[in-house]
Structure formats: C-alpha cells, structure tokens
Amino acid sequence: MPRHFFLGANHRPAPQRTPRLASLSLFETPPPASVNYHAAIDLTDRDALGNDAMGNCVPCAALRGVQLRRATLWGDAWQPSRDLAVGLYQDWTGYPASGDRGTDTVDACTRRTQKGIRLSDDLLDIGPWFVLNPHNIDHVKIAIQKARAVEFTLALPMSAQDVSRPWDVVPGSPRDGNHRVVSGRYDDEFLWLITWGFEQRIAWPSYLAWVLAADVVLSLECLPSWADRATMEAAMEAVS
C-alpha cells in the first residue's frame, strides 16, 4: 500500500525588510553545471520525520537543510529525528491543540533568525534569513552552490504524493496545497529535492510552474567561507 504524505506550508510573501541574497554579490559568476550535496547525507531510511502523519513539512525542510550544511561544511554526521521535527511543529504552531493546519513560512524563518533551532541541549542552530528570486534559475543554482541548502515553497497537486516518478506539470492540474522542501542538488535538467525522506527530482519547467518562494537560512555556527559574520549578524538584526 502506498504511503500517504502531507502538505503543510502556509505561504505568504516575505516582508520587505527581509535581506536579499542578491545584496551579497554572490551572483557575479555563472553557476557550475551541476552540484550534488545530497551525496553527503544518508537518506536510505526514508524517514519522513512525521510528515507522513501530519503537515509538518516546514520544520522537516528546515532540519534537512541543517543536516546538509553540517555534513558539507563540517563533515558532520548529525541527522534530524522525528521527535525533533514534531517538537518544532508544536513550538511553531501550537500543534496539536491548534489543529494540524501547517506552518506559516514567514513565522518559521523569523523564529529561526530570532530564536534558532535547538538541535540538542548544547547545540543551537541560529543565523540569518535571506530570500532570493525563485524564478531566476541561475540565482537558484548559485544559492545552492554557495549556501549548501535552499528551501522552497511549492504549490502542488495531490498527485505529487506519488514519489515513484519525477514531478511534472500536467496541463490543467489543480494546485491542492503548498509544500516546503529543501534542495542541495541540481543539474541541467532537474532540481533535486528532499521531501518525505526521499530524494525527488523536478524538471526545471515544472519547478518554475510550481514555485512560490525560495529561502536561505544560514547558521552562525557553521558559516560558508564567503559569509562574513558581521554581515550575517546585521542581516539578523534587519529581520528582528
């Protein structure tokens, strides 16, 4: 019997005060033809982190992004757990008392900039939030290359729950709900996503038809070499 997966991203545009990744002058050099940071992490257990039981895709994408950054920048084997993903969903939304209504993406990114994500008793992942133009494919590719992980909000039809084939747009297909995913991989044909514990691929034309937003949230704990700490802290102040 196929598994059932949940959507759960409540999308709204980022506030104007949110720093733009383009302000950091990262887009002056064309992107590499392909990047694959997914090879650095283990997805063989296909752990949906609770997103096969509730609409906690926004916390799941955030935690997979942390995993990608730590693995590629530090060679760290840290990986998220279902309990952590569900705990974030509870903290960010009030679930289950509030109902299983999904997560506001702006609220989630703001909380991560202001309070961070507690990975363990002695590990806090906190850093700046940047937005980028999701329809500029070169910028998306460069952001993945530079930041290791980019989170996307997509408007999906329910047929996208079939993870046995690449996601593609069927003319006239409805948009049944919004979903949050993360990517650290692309090539000329596809953007490769991590969702529901799977690696899923989406052709670039389908991505352009479905994408609503693209966000980068970094960590002061493990910044890429190009990220100046003072600039990152100023970006955090802008959101606060």
Side-chain angles (χ1 to χ4, degrees):
M1 178 179 294
R3 294 169 68 186
H4 181 75
F5 300 105
F6 286 72
L7 309 179
N10 300 330
H11 167 71
R12 59 188 173 102
Q16 285 298 313
R17 68 177 184 276
T18 312
R20 268 50 185 173
L21 200 65
S23 69
L24 302 180
S25 302
L26 299 178
F27 302 131
E28 297 170 354
T29 303
S34 63
V35 163
N36 182 8
Y37 295 130
H38 294 184
I41 66 173
D42 183 7
L43 293 171
T44 54
D45 63 1
R46 297 193 169 187
D47 188 351
L49 303 179
N51 202 200
D52 51 356
M54 65 195 75
N56 68 333
C57 60
V58 175
C60 292
L63 292 173
R64 290 296 187 189
V66 172
Q67 183 182 16
L68 282 167
R69 288 200 312 271
R70 295 181 70 91
T72 56
L73 291 170
W74 281 7
D76 186 2
W78 179 88
Q79 58 186 50
S81 67
R82 184 186 189 279
D83 286 349
L84 183 54
V86 174
L88 273 182
Y89 190 41
Q90 293 170 335
D91 183 44
W92 289 352
T93 70
Y95 173 85
S98 62
D100 188 11
R101 299 180 181 178
T103 309
D104 183 294
T105 54
V106 170
D107 283 351
C109 289
T110 302
R111 282 173 177 261
R112 291 166 66 184
T113 293
Q114 295 177 345
K115 297 182 179 180
I117 296 174
R118 178 64 62 183
L119 305 181
S120 65
D121 289 344
D122 56 353
L123 272 183
L124 178 68
D125 189 274
I126 186 169
W129 167 31
F130 295 92
V131 296
L132 64 149
N133 177 0
H135 294 102
N136 187 320
I137 290 179
D138 276 355
H139 284 195
V140 168
K141 290 178 176 180
I142 292 169
I144 290 173
Q145 176 208 4
K146 298 290 189 181
R148 268 59 176 188
V150 176
E151 294 168 44
F152 299 98
T153 305
L154 305 176
L156 296 181
M158 293 306 291
S159 61
Q161 292 183 334
D162 179 1
V163 294
S164 65
R165 61 182 180 85
W167 285 349
D168 52 17
V169 174
V170 177
S173 61
R175 301 295 183 264
D176 296 304
N178 299 335
H179 187 49
R180 189 77 157 178
V181 298
V182 66
S183 176
R185 180 183 179 185
Y186 68 82
D187 56 36
D188 285 340
E189 290 187 81
F190 296 103
L191 177 65
W192 298 75
L193 311 170
I194 298 174
T195 179
W196 302 319
F198 294 84
E199 187 182 49
Q200 177 63 295
R201 62 184 184 176
I202 182 170
W204 285 111
S206 296
Y207 160 81
L208 289 173
W210 286 349
V211 70
L212 298 173
D215 302 285
V216 169
V217 183
L218 298 173
S219 170
L220 293 180
E221 182 187 36
C222 56
L223 288 172
S225 59
W226 53 264
D228 172 77
R229 187 180 179 96
T231 301
M232 299 300 104
E233 290 176 342
M236 294 171 70
E237 286 294 324
V239 173
S240 298

